[in-house]
Amino acid sequence: MADRQEATVTLPSAPGSVSTARRYVAEVLADWGLPGGTDTAETVRLIVSELATNAVQHTRGQSPTFTVDVRLDRDQQLRIGVTDSHPRFPRRLPAAVQQDNGRGMVIIRCLTAEYGGRLFFTPTSDGGKTVWISLPWTVPVSAER
């Protein structure tokens, strides 16, 4: 396997794109050796779903698209980033018990930490940002790749 594998997709900032992003990442990871249906695969799908939902809901029309980047470095670290062109970085909001939303970053942060990873943000050159998760890659590399 190469030292680094990458896959990217850009989607419209529309609610239907969330499931497309989730499917795309699941297919990429399956191609890289992470079978669907495992706890890790389902956790990554949930994280991607939350990241994509945030990119659609919280950019307030200032980002017509969002981009999902999937990177695997030397079979050791998986990075997934969701980029939009809205300048404000995500922040943790207090979620009231009766509130239907506002828990996305808490979910992402908790799931990422549970798998030994981290969450971080980087600005883009056009004034937007990328929200990244980084997770250890524990899938053995098969000989046929």
Side-chain angles (χ1 to χ4, degrees), residues 21-55:
R22 193 173 47 238
R23 260 191 322 276
Y24 176 79
V25 171
E27 290 169 5
V28 167
L29 296 182
D31 287 347
W32 293 350
L34 180 64
T38 64
D39 286 345
T40 301
E42 292 305 311
T43 296
V44 170
R45 284 172 42 96
L46 177 56
I47 290 170
V48 169
S49 190
E50 292 294 335
L51 289 171
T53 298
N54 285 350

mmCIF file of all heavy atoms in Angstrom, residues 21-55:
data_model
loop_
_atom_site.group_PDB
_atom_site.id
_atom_site.type_symbol
_atom_site.label_atom_id
_atom_site.label_comp_id
_atom_site.label_asym_id
_atom_site.label_seq_id
_atom_site.Cartn_x
_atom_site.Cartn_y
_atom_site.Cartn_z
ATOM 1 N N ALA A 21 -22.604 11.724 1.616
ATOM 2 C CA ALA A 21 -21.280 11.794 2.256
ATOM 3 C C ALA A 21 -21.020 10.544 3.096
ATOM 4 O O ALA A 21 -19.935 9.957 3.036
ATOM 5 C CB ALA A 21 -21.182 13.047 3.119
ATOM 6 N N ARG A 22 -21.999 10.144 3.850
ATOM 7 C CA ARG A 22 -21.868 8.965 4.713
ATOM 8 C C ARG A 22 -21.599 7.719 3.868
ATOM 9 O O ARG A 22 -20.692 6.944 4.163
ATOM 10 C CB ARG A 22 -23.173 8.823 5.502
ATOM 11 C CG ARG A 22 -23.129 7.890 6.643
ATOM 12 C CD ARG A 22 -24.390 7.926 7.493
ATOM 13 N NE ARG A 22 -25.609 7.870 6.711
ATOM 14 C CZ ARG A 22 -26.571 8.799 6.730
ATOM 15 N NH1 ARG A 22 -26.449 9.865 7.481
ATOM 16 N NH2 ARG A 22 -27.652 8.652 5.992
ATOM 17 N N ARG A 23 -22.363 7.531 2.789
ATOM 18 C CA ARG A 23 -22.162 6.383 1.903
ATOM 19 C C ARG A 23 -20.793 6.424 1.237
ATOM 20 O O ARG A 23 -20.115 5.403 1.114
ATOM 21 C CB ARG A 23 -23.249 6.357 0.823
ATOM 22 C CG ARG A 23 -24.360 5.411 1.067
ATOM 23 C CD ARG A 23 -25.286 5.216 -0.125
ATOM 24 N NE ARG A 23 -25.562 6.403 -0.913
ATOM 25 C CZ ARG A 23 -26.496 7.307 -0.629
ATOM 26 N NH1 ARG A 23 -27.237 7.171 0.425
ATOM 27 N NH2 ARG A 23 -26.684 8.346 -1.412
ATOM 28 N N TYR A 24 -20.400 7.602 0.774
ATOM 29 C CA TYR A 24 -19.115 7.762 0.099
ATOM 30 C C TYR A 24 -17.968 7.317 1.009
ATOM 31 O O TYR A 24 -17.111 6.526 0.607
ATOM 32 C CB TYR A 24 -18.927 9.212 -0.331
ATOM 33 C CG TYR A 24 -17.571 9.481 -0.946
ATOM 34 C CD1 TYR A 24 -17.312 9.131 -2.265
ATOM 35 C CD2 TYR A 24 -16.558 10.070 -0.204
ATOM 36 C CE1 TYR A 24 -16.072 9.357 -2.830
ATOM 37 C CE2 TYR A 24 -15.313 10.306 -0.766
ATOM 38 C CZ TYR A 24 -15.078 9.947 -2.071
ATOM 39 O OH TYR A 24 -13.842 10.169 -2.616
ATOM 40 N N VAL A 25 -17.967 7.825 2.240
ATOM 41 C CA VAL A 25 -16.885 7.473 3.170
ATOM 42 C C VAL A 25 -16.914 5.980 3.485
ATOM 43 O O VAL A 25 -15.861 5.331 3.519
ATOM 44 C CB VAL A 25 -16.963 8.327 4.454
ATOM 45 C CG1 VAL A 25 -15.987 7.824 5.509
ATOM 46 C CG2 VAL A 25 -16.683 9.793 4.124
ATOM 47 N N ALA A 26 -18.092 5.417 3.671
ATOM 48 C CA ALA A 26 -18.190 3.976 3.951
ATOM 49 C C ALA A 26 -17.614 3.155 2.796
ATOM 50 O O ALA A 26 -16.889 2.173 3.032
ATOM 51 C CB ALA A 26 -19.643 3.595 4.209
ATOM 52 N N GLU A 27 -17.897 3.563 1.564
ATOM 53 C CA GLU A 27 -17.369 2.845 0.401
ATOM 54 C C GLU A 27 -15.857 2.969 0.292
ATOM 55 O O GLU A 27 -15.160 1.994 -0.003
ATOM 56 C CB GLU A 27 -18.036 3.354 -0.875
ATOM 57 C CG GLU A 27 -19.493 2.953 -0.984
ATOM 58 C CD GLU A 27 -20.235 3.657 -2.110
ATOM 59 O OE1 GLU A 27 -19.600 4.418 -2.894
ATOM 60 O OE2 GLU A 27 -21.463 3.466 -2.207
ATOM 61 N N VAL A 28 -15.336 4.156 0.534
ATOM 62 C CA VAL A 28 -13.885 4.359 0.494
ATOM 63 C C VAL A 28 -13.202 3.490 1.541
ATOM 64 O O VAL A 28 -12.228 2.787 1.260
ATOM 65 C CB VAL A 28 -13.521 5.851 0.699
ATOM 66 C CG1 VAL A 28 -12.030 6.027 0.979
ATOM 67 C CG2 VAL A 28 -13.939 6.674 -0.509
ATOM 68 N N LEU A 29 -13.715 3.520 2.759
ATOM 69 C CA LEU A 29 -13.092 2.740 3.836
ATOM 70 C C LEU A 29 -13.206 1.242 3.589
ATOM 71 O O LEU A 29 -12.283 0.492 3.907
ATOM 72 C CB LEU A 29 -13.692 3.125 5.184
ATOM 73 C CG LEU A 29 -13.431 4.571 5.608
ATOM 74 C CD1 LEU A 29 -14.021 4.841 6.981
ATOM 75 C CD2 LEU A 29 -11.953 4.912 5.578
ATOM 76 N N ALA A 30 -14.301 0.802 2.987
ATOM 77 C CA ALA A 30 -14.432 -0.618 2.633
ATOM 78 C C ALA A 30 -13.378 -0.994 1.596
ATOM 79 O O ALA A 30 -12.745 -2.055 1.699
ATOM 80 C CB ALA A 30 -15.840 -0.906 2.114
ATOM 81 N N ASP A 31 -13.137 -0.107 0.621
ATOM 82 C CA ASP A 31 -12.086 -0.352 -0.374
ATOM 83 C C ASP A 31 -10.710 -0.423 0.278
ATOM 84 O O ASP A 31 -9.818 -1.104 -0.221
ATOM 85 C CB ASP A 31 -12.077 0.743 -1.444
ATOM 86 C CG ASP A 31 -13.246 0.642 -2.403
ATOM 87 O OD1 ASP A 31 -13.939 -0.407 -2.420
ATOM 88 O OD2 ASP A 31 -13.496 1.628 -3.133
ATOM 89 N N TRP A 32 -10.535 0.305 1.376
ATOM 90 C CA TRP A 32 -9.249 0.320 2.079
ATOM 91 C C TRP A 32 -9.151 -0.773 3.137
ATOM 92 O O TRP A 32 -8.172 -0.846 3.873
ATOM 93 C CB TRP A 32 -9.009 1.676 2.709
ATOM 94 C CG TRP A 32 -8.811 2.782 1.711
ATOM 95 C CD1 TRP A 32 -8.639 2.672 0.366
ATOM 96 C CD2 TRP A 32 -8.771 4.184 1.985
ATOM 97 N NE1 TRP A 32 -8.490 3.906 -0.211
ATOM 98 C CE2 TRP A 32 -8.571 4.852 0.756
ATOM 99 C CE3 TRP A 32 -8.888 4.944 3.152
ATOM 100 C CZ2 TRP A 32 -8.473 6.240 0.668
ATOM 101 C CZ3 TRP A 32 -8.801 6.319 3.055
ATOM 102 C CH2 TRP A 32 -8.592 6.967 1.820
ATOM 103 N N GLY A 33 -10.186 -1.609 3.257
ATOM 104 C CA GLY A 33 -10.099 -2.760 4.138
ATOM 105 C C GLY A 33 -10.953 -2.725 5.382
ATOM 106 O O GLY A 33 -10.920 -3.673 6.168
ATOM 107 N N LEU A 34 -11.741 -1.692 5.601
ATOM 108 C CA LEU A 34 -12.603 -1.636 6.782
ATOM 109 C C LEU A 34 -14.001 -2.092 6.379
ATOM 110 O O LEU A 34 -14.730 -1.360 5.720
ATOM 111 C CB LEU A 34 -12.663 -0.213 7.360
ATOM 112 C CG LEU A 34 -13.537 -0.037 8.601
ATOM 113 C CD1 LEU A 34 -12.972 -0.846 9.773
ATOM 114 C CD2 LEU A 34 -13.628 1.434 8.980
ATOM 115 N N PRO A 35 -14.371 -3.302 6.771
ATOM 116 C CA PRO A 35 -15.678 -3.814 6.350
ATOM 117 C C PRO A 35 -16.826 -3.053 7.007
ATOM 118 O O PRO A 35 -16.734 -2.639 8.167
ATOM 119 C CB PRO A 35 -15.654 -5.278 6.801
ATOM 120 C CG PRO A 35 -14.583 -5.372 7.826
ATOM 121 C CD PRO A 35 -13.622 -4.242 7.589
ATOM 122 N N GLY A 36 -17.897 -2.875 6.241
ATOM 123 C CA GLY A 36 -19.089 -2.240 6.789
ATOM 124 C C GLY A 36 -19.708 -3.115 7.866
ATOM 125 O O GLY A 36 -19.481 -4.317 7.924
ATOM 126 N N GLY A 37 -20.468 -2.490 8.740
ATOM 127 C CA GLY A 37 -21.140 -3.234 9.792
ATOM 128 C C GLY A 37 -20.329 -3.418 11.057
ATOM 129 O O GLY A 37 -20.874 -3.821 12.075
ATOM 130 N N THR A 38 -19.032 -3.135 11.019
ATOM 131 C CA THR A 38 -18.227 -3.237 12.244
ATOM 132 C C THR A 38 -18.500 -2.012 13.114
ATOM 133 O O THR A 38 -19.000 -0.987 12.651
ATOM 134 C CB THR A 38 -16.725 -3.294 11.915
ATOM 135 O OG1 THR A 38 -16.343 -2.055 11.295
ATOM 136 C CG2 THR A 38 -16.384 -4.462 11.004
ATOM 137 N N ASP A 39 -18.165 -2.120 14.394
ATOM 138 C CA ASP A 39 -18.356 -0.982 15.301
ATOM 139 C C ASP A 39 -17.602 0.246 14.806
ATOM 140 O O ASP A 39 -18.125 1.352 14.827
ATOM 141 C CB ASP A 39 -17.890 -1.329 16.721
ATOM 142 C CG ASP A 39 -18.847 -2.257 17.438
ATOM 143 O OD1 ASP A 39 -20.003 -2.415 16.974
ATOM 144 O OD2 ASP A 39 -18.451 -2.820 18.475
ATOM 145 N N THR A 40 -16.375 0.038 14.349
ATOM 146 C CA THR A 40 -15.569 1.163 13.875
ATOM 147 C C THR A 40 -16.208 1.800 12.643
ATOM 148 O O THR A 40 -16.326 3.022 12.565
ATOM 149 C CB THR A 40 -14.134 0.722 13.557
ATOM 150 O OG1 THR A 40 -13.553 0.162 14.743
ATOM 151 C CG2 THR A 40 -13.279 1.875 13.078
ATOM 152 N N ALA A 41 -16.640 0.994 11.697
ATOM 153 C CA ALA A 41 -17.257 1.523 10.481
ATOM 154 C C ALA A 41 -18.527 2.298 10.815
ATOM 155 O O ALA A 41 -18.764 3.386 10.269
ATOM 156 C CB ALA A 41 -17.559 0.387 9.505
ATOM 157 N N GLU A 42 -19.338 1.778 11.706
ATOM 158 C CA GLU A 42 -20.579 2.465 12.075
ATOM 159 C C GLU A 42 -20.294 3.760 12.835
ATOM 160 O O GLU A 42 -20.990 4.756 12.655
ATOM 161 C CB GLU A 42 -21.486 1.532 12.881
ATOM 162 C CG GLU A 42 -22.029 0.378 12.067
ATOM 163 C CD GLU A 42 -22.753 0.819 10.799
ATOM 164 O OE1 GLU A 42 -23.608 1.718 10.864
ATOM 165 O OE2 GLU A 42 -22.443 0.264 9.726
ATOM 166 N N THR A 43 -19.266 3.758 13.667
ATOM 167 C CA THR A 43 -18.894 4.975 14.393
ATOM 168 C C THR A 43 -18.419 6.044 13.420
ATOM 169 O O THR A 43 -18.809 7.208 13.524
ATOM 170 C CB THR A 43 -17.805 4.664 15.440
ATOM 171 O OG1 THR A 43 -18.364 3.760 16.401
ATOM 172 C CG2 THR A 43 -17.330 5.915 16.138
ATOM 173 N N VAL A 44 -17.591 5.657 12.459
ATOM 174 C CA VAL A 44 -17.108 6.621 11.461
ATOM 175 C C VAL A 44 -18.282 7.163 10.651
ATOM 176 O O VAL A 44 -18.353 8.359 10.384
ATOM 177 C CB VAL A 44 -16.028 5.994 10.561
ATOM 178 C CG1 VAL A 44 -15.705 6.902 9.381
ATOM 179 C CG2 VAL A 44 -14.763 5.716 11.370
ATOM 180 N N ARG A 45 -19.221 6.303 10.286
ATOM 181 C CA ARG A 45 -20.411 6.764 9.552
ATOM 182 C C ARG A 45 -21.185 7.802 10.361
ATOM 183 O O ARG A 45 -21.633 8.811 9.808
ATOM 184 C CB ARG A 45 -21.320 5.584 9.209
ATOM 185 C CG ARG A 45 -20.813 4.744 8.053
ATOM 186 C CD ARG A 45 -21.627 3.466 7.855
ATOM 187 N NE ARG A 45 -23.062 3.650 7.984
ATOM 188 C CZ ARG A 45 -23.889 3.839 6.951
ATOM 189 N NH1 ARG A 45 -23.419 3.897 5.736
ATOM 190 N NH2 ARG A 45 -25.183 3.958 7.154
ATOM 191 N N LEU A 46 -21.345 7.574 11.657
ATOM 192 C CA LEU A 46 -22.056 8.529 12.505
ATOM 193 C C LEU A 46 -21.302 9.853 12.595
ATOM 194 O O LEU A 46 -21.892 10.929 12.484
ATOM 195 C CB LEU A 46 -22.277 7.947 13.903
ATOM 196 C CG LEU A 46 -22.952 8.871 14.921
ATOM 197 C CD1 LEU A 46 -24.292 9.381 14.412
ATOM 198 C CD2 LEU A 46 -23.109 8.139 16.247
ATOM 199 N N ILE A 47 -19.995 9.778 12.754
ATOM 200 C CA ILE A 47 -19.185 11.000 12.819
ATOM 201 C C ILE A 47 -19.306 11.791 11.514
ATOM 202 O O ILE A 47 -19.507 13.010 11.537
ATOM 203 C CB ILE A 47 -17.712 10.665 13.142
ATOM 204 C CG1 ILE A 47 -17.588 10.179 14.587
ATOM 205 C CG2 ILE A 47 -16.805 11.882 12.905
ATOM 206 C CD1 ILE A 47 -16.225 9.598 14.934
ATOM 207 N N VAL A 48 -19.180 11.115 10.387
ATOM 208 C CA VAL A 48 -19.294 11.788 9.089
ATOM 209 C C VAL A 48 -20.680 12.404 8.945
ATOM 210 O O VAL A 48 -20.824 13.537 8.459
ATOM 211 C CB VAL A 48 -18.987 10.824 7.921
ATOM 212 C CG1 VAL A 48 -19.360 11.430 6.580
ATOM 213 C CG2 VAL A 48 -17.515 10.441 7.948
ATOM 214 N N SER A 49 -21.691 11.696 9.374
ATOM 215 C CA SER A 49 -23.046 12.220 9.308
ATOM 216 C C SER A 49 -23.183 13.511 10.109
ATOM 217 O O SER A 49 -23.775 14.496 9.644
ATOM 218 C CB SER A 49 -24.021 11.162 9.836
ATOM 219 O OG SER A 49 -25.342 11.529 9.585
ATOM 220 N N GLU A 50 -22.617 13.544 11.306
ATOM 221 C CA GLU A 50 -22.677 14.746 12.148
ATOM 222 C C GLU A 50 -21.871 15.890 11.529
ATOM 223 O O GLU A 50 -22.318 17.041 11.528
ATOM 224 C CB GLU A 50 -22.171 14.440 13.556
ATOM 225 C CG GLU A 50 -23.069 13.522 14.357
ATOM 226 C CD GLU A 50 -24.424 14.120 14.684
ATOM 227 O OE1 GLU A 50 -24.557 15.359 14.733
ATOM 228 O OE2 GLU A 50 -25.372 13.344 14.890
ATOM 229 N N LEU A 51 -20.682 15.588 11.010
ATOM 230 C CA LEU A 51 -19.859 16.629 10.381
ATOM 231 C C LEU A 51 -20.567 17.222 9.165
ATOM 232 O O LEU A 51 -20.599 18.447 8.984
ATOM 233 C CB LEU A 51 -18.497 16.060 9.968
ATOM 234 C CG LEU A 51 -17.519 15.714 11.079
ATOM 235 C CD1 LEU A 51 -16.326 14.959 10.507
ATOM 236 C CD2 LEU A 51 -17.076 16.955 11.826
ATOM 237 N N ALA A 52 -21.124 16.367 8.327
ATOM 238 C CA ALA A 52 -21.813 16.838 7.126
ATOM 239 C C ALA A 52 -23.076 17.623 7.494
ATOM 240 O O ALA A 52 -23.371 18.661 6.885
ATOM 241 C CB ALA A 52 -22.154 15.659 6.218
ATOM 242 N N THR A 53 -23.804 17.146 8.474
ATOM 243 C CA THR A 53 -24.999 17.861 8.930
ATOM 244 C C THR A 53 -24.639 19.255 9.402
ATOM 245 O O THR A 53 -25.321 20.238 9.073
ATOM 246 C CB THR A 53 -25.716 17.077 10.045
ATOM 247 O OG1 THR A 53 -26.146 15.814 9.515
ATOM 248 C CG2 THR A 53 -26.915 17.834 10.581
ATOM 249 N N ASN A 54 -23.565 19.367 10.167
ATOM 250 C CA ASN A 54 -23.117 20.683 10.632
ATOM 251 C C ASN A 54 -22.764 21.592 9.455
ATOM 252 O O ASN A 54 -23.093 22.774 9.452
ATOM 253 C CB ASN A 54 -21.925 20.550 11.567
ATOM 254 C CG ASN A 54 -22.318 20.046 12.934
ATOM 255 O OD1 ASN A 54 -23.490 19.960 13.278
ATOM 256 N ND2 ASN A 54 -21.325 19.690 13.728
ATOM 257 N N ALA A 55 -22.094 21.029 8.450
ATOM 258 C CA ALA A 55 -21.703 21.834 7.288
ATOM 259 C C ALA A 55 -22.928 22.334 6.518
ATOM 260 O O ALA A 55 -22.905 23.423 5.957
ATOM 261 C CB ALA A 55 -20.800 21.020 6.357
#
